[in-house]
C-alpha cells in the first residue's frame, strides 16, 4: 500500500512549515498515524514527533453548460500534518 500520495505545497502550508516545522501530505484513506509516520521517516530521512490527520469529504459541484446543468462531486481525501523534530527539514523543491 502506498501511504503518501503527494505533498501539499501551498502558500499556507509553506508558511506553517517555516514557522512550526510542520508539513502536509495527502495520504491513503486507510493509513493510520503510525504508518504515515514510518512512511515519512523512511522517505525523507527525518524524525517525526507528531502526526495529525483529517478526512475531507467530497463536495457537490455543479456548472452550467449549453446542454444543461452538470452535477458532480469532487473526490474525498485524507490529509496528514506531520510535525518534525527540531533541526529536521524537508525540501520539496530540491529535485525540480
Amino acid at each position: 500500500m502506498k501511504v503518501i500520495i503527494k505533498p501539499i505545497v501551498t502558500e499556507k502550508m509553506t508558511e506553517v512549515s517555516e514557522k512550526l516545522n510542520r508539513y502536509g501530505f495527502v495520504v491513503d484513506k486507510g493509513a493510520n498515524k503510525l504508518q504515515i509516520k514510518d512512511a515519512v521517516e523512511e522517505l525523507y530521512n527525518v524524525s517525526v514527533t507528531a502526526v495529525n490527520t483529517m478526512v475531507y469529504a467530497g463536495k457537490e459541484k455543479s456548472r452550467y453548460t449549453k446542454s444543461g446543468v452538470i452535477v458532480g462531486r469532487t473526490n474525498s481525501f485524507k490529509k496528514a500534518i506531520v510535525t518534525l523534530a527540531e533541526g529536521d527539514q524537508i525540501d520539496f523543491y530540491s529535485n525540480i
Side-chain angles (χ1 to χ4, degrees), residues 8-19 22 93:
I8 300 172
V9 182
T10 60
E11 288 182 26
K12 190 173 185 179
M13 272 315 306
T14 304
E15 186 177 338
V16 169
S17 65
E18 289 172 357
K19 289 183 180 178
R22 293 181 179 167
Y93 306 107

Side-chain angles (χ1 to χ4, degrees), residues 29-82:
K29 276 188 172 179
N32 61 27
K33 292 183 180 186
L34 295 175
Q35 291 171 335
I36 295 167
K37 178 182 177 182
D38 292 340
V40 171
E41 287 178 344
E42 181 184 326
L43 192 60
Y44 294 104
N45 297 323
V46 293
S47 356
V48 175
T49 57
V51 177
N52 299 86
T53 59
M54 56 213 83
V55 178
Y56 285 90
K59 295 182 183 178
E60 290 270 338
K61 297 281 186 171
S62 63
R63 65 174 192 223
Y64 299 97
T65 62
K66 287 182 181 179
S67 60
V69 178
I70 297 175
V71 179
R73 217 174 158 77
T74 61
N75 294 332
S76 60
F77 62 96
K78 187 173 191 175
K79 181 165 106 174
I81 305 297
V82 176

Side-chain angles (χ1 to χ4, degrees), residues 1-6 25-32 35-36 77-79:
M1 175 173 76
K2 186 177 176 190
V3 177
I4 296 176
I5 297 172
K6 65 181 179 178
F25 298 93
V26 175
V27 296
D28 182 54
K29 276 188 172 179
N32 61 27
Q35 291 171 335
I36 295 167
F77 62 96
K78 187 173 191 175
K79 181 165 106 174

